[in-house]
Amino acid sequence: MTLAHHNASSGSPLFDSTVVVTAPAEVDMLTVHELGQRLAEAMLLACRGGTVVLDLSPVCFLGTCGLELLSTLRDWPCRVLLVASTRAVLRPLRLTCLDRSLPVLADLGAALAAAARPAPSPVRGWRPLRAASSRPRAWRAGSTRPRGR
């Protein structure tokens, strides 16, 4: 399990930095605690506008405690990107819908390129598809015309 720090060419070490954490081959009860500590160190390094990239490409087993750890990454104050290309990782991410809330990229190069770009803006609040005045009128039971005509 490794921790690497990459500075952006335009920023200082405390700003615009990318921290890469490489996961072990098996993320289970024995290794999840150390991985969580590495991720916490990475978050502290990238806390001001930086990005944490979790490289899951060497993972061949992802246990439920690993999925629980990944679910906590959604609430982090910094941007988090996942690198995954194996079925052992992609399938649990899809089944738990974590791939919808955390960006998953195919390789480390793509993740570092995405980390160099500005983060996308968050989605604004939900809007209805049509205005309230265009709702269909209620029908009476047994009637063939709308009520109110």
Side-chain angles (χ1 to χ4, degrees), residues 93-112:
L93 290 178
R94 287 184 188 131
L95 288 173
T96 57
C97 296
L98 284 172
D99 63 338
R100 294 181 185 173
S101 58
L102 292 169
V104 180
L105 298 148
D107 62 352
L108 187 58
L112 291 175

Side-chain angles (χ1 to χ4, degrees), residues 1-74:
M1 198 172 334
T2 60
L3 178 72
H5 188 261
H6 299 276
N7 286 335
S9 59
S10 63
S12 68
L14 295 177
F15 298 98
D16 297 329
S17 62
T18 301
V19 183
V20 179
V21 178
T22 304
E26 295 179 354
V27 180
D28 55 7
M29 289 183 352
L30 299 174
T31 60
V32 75
H33 182 68
E34 185 180 351
L35 180 59
Q37 287 179 340
R38 296 277 186 247
L39 287 170
E41 292 171 14
M43 183 187 66
L44 291 175
L45 288 172
C47 66
R48 294 187 180 174
T51 304
V52 174
V53 176
L54 177 57
D55 187 6
L56 297 169
S57 56
V59 174
C60 59
F61 176 76
L62 182 61
T64 56
C65 53
L67 289 170
E68 184 178 351
L69 176 66
L70 293 179
S71 69
T72 63
L73 300 179
R74 295 180 290 189

